[in-house]
Amino acid sequence: MKSGTSYFNWPLFRKTVLRFWPIWAIYAVVLLAQGPFRLAGWLRGAQDAVEAARFAQQVPALAATELAVFFVPASCAAAGMAVYSHLYFARSAAAYGALPIKRGAIFNSVTLAGLLPILALNILAGLACLLAGAGQFRAVLPAAAGMAASLCLVSLCYFGIAALCAQLTGSIIALPILFFSVCVASALLDELIIAALSNFAYGYAGNTGGVLCLFSPIMGISRYLRIDGVGSVLQDGVYRVAGYRLSGWGYLLGYAAAGLLLLWPAQALYRRRRLESAGEVVAVNVLRPVFRYILAAGGALVLACFLSWGLNLRLDRMGALGAAVFAALMLLGGFIGWSAAEMLMRKSFRVFKMGRAWLGLGVLWALLTCLLFVVELDATGFERRVPAADEVRSVGVSTYTSGGQMVLREPENVELALELHQRLVDEKELYEAAQMAGLPLPDTWETVNFTYTLADGSRLLRRYKAAAAVSAEDIELLETIANLPEGLLSRKLPDVEPSVRNIAYASISWAVPDGDVTSVESLELTAEEALELYRECILPDMREAKIGLIWFTGGEVSEAYDCRISLELSHFSPTEGEVYETFYTYATVYSERTNAWLLEHGAGLHTPEELGNEYLIS
């Protein structure tokens, strides 16, 4: 009679689970402490049933977001080290190899022995939260289920990564290092790309869109697994947080699916693994040269970026010379990474007689250097790219001084923004030379950001430095754009329309001469007074570009009154709960409506020039 093929061995599974019980015990204790025990403590301190219901939803969600960041990946790495530990020692590898069980069945048995206890404990923790919050059953049920489900999905992701990493190395010490390196590698690469491009791509906005971070589970899960407030409107019309829920389920499902898919190549590698690889840093022969190249490339980029930042070399101001210095630093970093990889694989410091193997490092360095000079010399046309007016749907212009983004859609205003952009591109050499030489005091740099939304729906981002000492015309044009009615309203209008209900506090403060010094007086406004001032005076003046102005060349000394109007607004956000926003502006010599209202209510209007001051102090 022909025997069937077994894909699972129950005795091996049971033995592995029982053997590593301390890992599951520690995991259970932390889950209980962060989930049901914490929930029980919070519920005992609740003031009323409404607060208890909020706690019943908040604590499980909070536990899920906190545990998913570090504890769950650390636990999965520990579980992977435990259940695959027989791979890393010659005697245990030989013993498992001699078992009358197919390798595929061994892999399935030990893998499930590492994964199922974690999943089971996540579910039990959810049930324990349900028991601890039984008095608020309707509130705690979705929260406890969400906690258990999110932790299970996160565990699937991290254990899949740990299982694959376990097959790539024969060293139990290298496994956790490799695991956490894989979990953050793409996020680190994202930062290195940003650092390099910021130095050598003129106008680069320092943002890759965060796409690479999606491939770093630790970064992606911490970013997308969030707690959202669930709001309700009370009888007085004010928003209040009524409960909490987890969001980011689409990302969690994607990460869990990726973790499950990684188990397939992990099993394939396990079935073909050489028993002699126990103790080796790289267990798969075909990956040994890949390991060298990865460490060399990583060492080249990390060391070059770190030294150029740590030594404050200012390579972005040196043109091609800066690129040459960065290339030399990459050669040093690549040499260190290449040598370190060889030392780890040979387990010896005598690695410098590699002969023609050094050619690989030379080829890698030449490739990285070519890419570097492609960027520096703008072979792709990135730096010279200024979109045509008919390509632009809208453009946002922002600076640190402006305090907000000026969004321009009217064709004539877009033309002004494109003109400023083109001027900054054409004056690259002037600005780089000025940055090398340094600006004379008290001149300062303005960082100008352009965010284009193009007709095809894509976005184009650019960032430049501008200064009046280099080009007064650029700064004057920037000031014109910032004070256009369209640009002014887009950067100054609050996110929510002020009303009697959402004005939490309002005041006016103004500077007055007091002998040889200047003092500040203030007046607190009622919500009704503040709303009248905003709607009847400030808003019409803003629409005529008479208030809310900004100056990049010190014009506020003679054109702005040292009289500040502040409104603190509160509103509810589904993702952040209660949000507070401050709207403020200074009266100007042009804001006739606002000035008349202020004088009528006793405020003083004096420019810094009249007060003998160099800046606004109110």
Side-chain angles (χ1 to χ4, degrees):
M1 179 177 175
K2 187 177 180 180
S3 62
T5 301
S6 175
Y7 296 99
F8 177 78
N9 186 273
W10 168 254
L12 180 58
F13 169 83
R14 182 185 57 179
K15 179 182 177 180
T16 305
V17 171
L18 296 177
R19 181 183 176 189
F20 299 112
W21 68 266
I23 295 176
W24 326 131
I26 294 172
Y27 190 79
V29 168
V30 175
L31 282 182
L32 291 174
Q34 290 294 100
F37 291 170
R38 188 184 193 182
L39 175 59
W42 281 39
L43 289 176
R44 283 196 300 270
Q47 301 295 321
D48 51 39
V50 174
E51 187 174 52
R54 284 204 302 268
F55 288 164
Q57 294 183 358
Q58 183 179 11
V59 173
L62 191 62
T65 57
E66 292 175 348
L67 293 172
V69 174
F70 180 77
F71 179 71
V72 173
S75 299
C76 289
M81 292 171 66
V83 299
Y84 301 114
S85 59
H86 61 277
L87 298 174
Y88 308 127
F89 306 97
R91 290 182 61 183
S92 60
Y96 273 72
L99 290 174
I101 310 172
K102 289 185 177 293
R103 282 202 177 187
I106 295 176
F107 176 85
N108 294 340
S109 302
V110 298
T111 298
L112 290 175
L115 180 59
L116 290 184
I118 293 177
L119 298 180
L121 290 172
N122 291 336
I123 296 172
L124 290 175
L127 293 174
C129 283
L130 195 61
L131 182 62
Q136 299 292 331
F137 184 80
R138 293 182 60 184
V140 77
L141 177 59
M147 170 187 166
S150 62
L151 290 179
C152 285
L153 293 174
V154 172
S155 300
L156 287 172
C157 168
Y158 286 123
F159 192 84
I161 297 172
L164 180 61
C165 291
Q167 316 313 316
L168 300 178
T169 182
S171 169
I172 196 169
I173 298 175
L175 173 55
I177 298 173
L178 177 61
F179 172 82
F180 283 104
S181 297
V182 169
C183 287
V184 301
S186 62
L188 177 61
L189 179 61
D190 188 72
E191 292 298 322
L192 293 175
I193 290 174
I194 289 174
L197 291 178
S198 296
N199 277 323
F200 302 109
Y202 181 68
Y204 179 67
N207 184 4
T208 61
V211 175
L212 289 177
C213 288
L214 284 174
F215 297 95
S216 289
I218 289 180
M219 303 300 296
I221 291 173
S222 63
R223 175 184 297 181
Y224 296 112
L225 179 59
R226 301 191 310 173
I227 304 175
D228 290 343
V230 180
S232 63
V233 184
L234 302 183
Q235 292 181 349
D236 60 359
V238 178
Y239 284 103
R240 289 292 183 268
V241 176
Y244 299 90
R245 64 185 175 192
L246 288 171
S247 64
W249 292 102
Y251 293 99
L252 292 186
L253 288 170
Y255 284 121
L260 287 173
L261 289 174
L262 291 178
L263 293 177
W264 175 72
Q267 185 195 56
L269 290 171
Y270 185 92
R271 293 172 63 182
R272 293 165 175 78
R273 186 185 180 96
R274 296 178 300 109
L275 297 179
E276 299 83 7
S277 64
E280 296 181 3
V281 173
V282 181
V284 183
N285 283 337
V286 72
L287 295 180
R288 294 173 74 87
V290 175
F291 180 65
R292 274 198 300 260
Y293 281 107
I294 290 176
L295 256 64
L301 291 174
V302 170
L303 187 73
C305 291
F306 177 77
L307 288 182
S308 60
W309 169 77
L311 299 177
N312 197 25
L313 297 180
R314 305 285 183 170
L315 300 182
D316 58 325
R317 306 176 180 184
M318 299 168 63
L321 176 60
V325 172
F326 194 84
L329 295 176
M330 284 199 301
L331 180 60
L332 175 61
F335 171 78
I336 294 173
W338 188 273
S339 303
E342 195 67 20
M343 290 176 188
L344 289 171
M345 289 189 292
R346 290 191 187 184
K347 300 179 184 178
S348 170
F349 293 110
R350 302 178 66 180
V351 297
F352 298 109
K353 295 182 179 180
M354 282 190 280
R356 286 183 297 178
W358 287 109
L359 291 176
L361 174 61
V363 171
L364 175 65
W365 177 74
L367 177 61
L368 292 175
T369 301
C370 286
L371 291 175
L372 175 65
F373 276 91
V374 164
V375 173
E376 170 58 33
L377 300 177
D378 194 27
T380 63
F382 173 89
E383 296 179 358
R384 300 186 299 275
R385 170 81 192 280
V386 178
D390 57 1
E391 292 183 83
V392 179
R393 185 184 301 169
S394 68
V395 55
V397 184
S398 65
T399 71
Y400 177 79
T401 302
S402 67
Q405 188 178 69
M406 294 82 77
V407 180
L408 309 174
R409 294 183 176 85
E410 297 177 7
E412 59 273 19
N413 296 340
V414 171
E415 289 281 1
L416 290 176
L418 291 171
E419 180 185 347
L420 176 61
H421 187 175
Q422 187 65 62
R423 290 182 60 90
L424 294 173
V425 169
D426 295 339
E427 295 163 349
K428 171 187 174 181
E429 294 182 0
L430 289 176
Y431 279 110
E432 286 186 341
Q435 289 183 70
M436 281 293 293
L439 286 178
L441 294 176
D443 293 303
T444 57
W445 291 100
E446 282 291 340
T447 300
V448 186
N449 298 284
F450 295 90
T451 304
Y452 292 96
T453 300
L454 302 181
D456 60 3
S458 62
R459 295 210 312 164
L460 179 70
L461 308 178
R462 292 294 186 268
R463 176 177 297 162
Y464 304 94
K465 294 282 189 179
V470 180
S471 174
E473 292 82 359
D474 293 349
I475 298 300
E476 290 172 1
L477 182 54
L478 176 61
E479 187 173 300
T480 298
I481 293 171
N483 293 326
L484 292 169
E486 184 182 30
L488 192 156
L489 290 169
S490 61
R491 67 178 168 79
K492 287 298 292 183
L493 287 179
D495 292 337
V496 294
E497 177 68 20
S499 67
V500 173
R501 290 176 176 175
N502 63 28
I503 296 178
Y505 180 78
S507 67
I508 305 168
S509 57
W510 62 92
V512 295
D514 187 9
D516 295 333
V517 298
T518 300
S519 61
V520 177
E521 295 183 4
S522 61
L523 172 66
E524 185 175 335
L525 304 179
T526 64
E528 291 77 10
E529 290 174 329
L531 188 61
E532 177 190 5
L533 173 59
Y534 177 81
R535 288 182 176 174
E536 303 299 327
C537 304
I538 296 176
L539 198 54
D541 282 340
M542 286 176 60
R543 287 172 177 156
E544 296 175 6
K546 294 181 177 180
I547 197 171
L549 306 175
I550 54 175
W551 297 265
F552 295 95
T553 54
E556 71 274 9
V557 174
S558 59
E559 297 181 52
Y561 287 126
D562 204 340
C563 180
R564 176 182 170 119
I565 306 161
S566 301
L567 278 68
E568 292 187 12
L569 310 173
S570 66
H571 63 94
F572 177 79
S573 167
T575 58
E576 302 177 39
E578 196 75 16
V579 177
Y580 290 89
E581 176 186 6
T582 299
F583 167 83
Y584 75 92
T585 189
Y586 284 87
T588 71
V589 295
Y590 312 110
S591 54
E592 299 173 356
R593 300 179 185 85
T594 304
N595 297 347
W597 195 97
L598 294 172
L599 291 172
E600 181 181 344
H601 289 76
L605 299 179
H606 304 280
T607 65
E609 187 177 60
E610 294 169 345
L611 296 167
N613 298 325
E614 298 179 354
Y615 50 84
L616 300 165
I617 65 171
S618 66

Short mmCIF file of all heavy atoms in Angstrom, two decimals, residues 53 155 599:
data_model
loop_
_atom_site.label_atom_id
_atom_site.label_comp_id
_atom_site.label_asym_id
_atom_site.label_seq_id
_atom_site.Cartn_x
_atom_site.Cartn_y
_atom_site.Cartn_z
N ALA A 53 -17.45 54.55 28.42
CA ALA A 53 -17.61 54.05 27.05
C ALA A 53 -16.44 54.50 26.16
O ALA A 53 -15.96 53.73 25.32
CB ALA A 53 -18.94 54.51 26.47
N SER A 155 1.31 40.64 13.19
CA SER A 155 2.12 39.47 13.51
C SER A 155 2.39 38.63 12.27
O SER A 155 3.50 38.11 12.08
CB SER A 155 1.43 38.62 14.57
OG SER A 155 1.23 39.34 15.77
N LEU A 599 -10.05 101.63 16.50
CA LEU A 599 -10.02 102.93 17.19
C LEU A 599 -11.29 103.16 17.98
O LEU A 599 -11.26 103.71 19.10
CB LEU A 599 -9.83 104.05 16.15
CG LEU A 599 -8.44 104.10 15.48
CD1 LEU A 599 -8.44 105.13 14.35
CD2 LEU A 599 -7.36 104.43 16.51
#
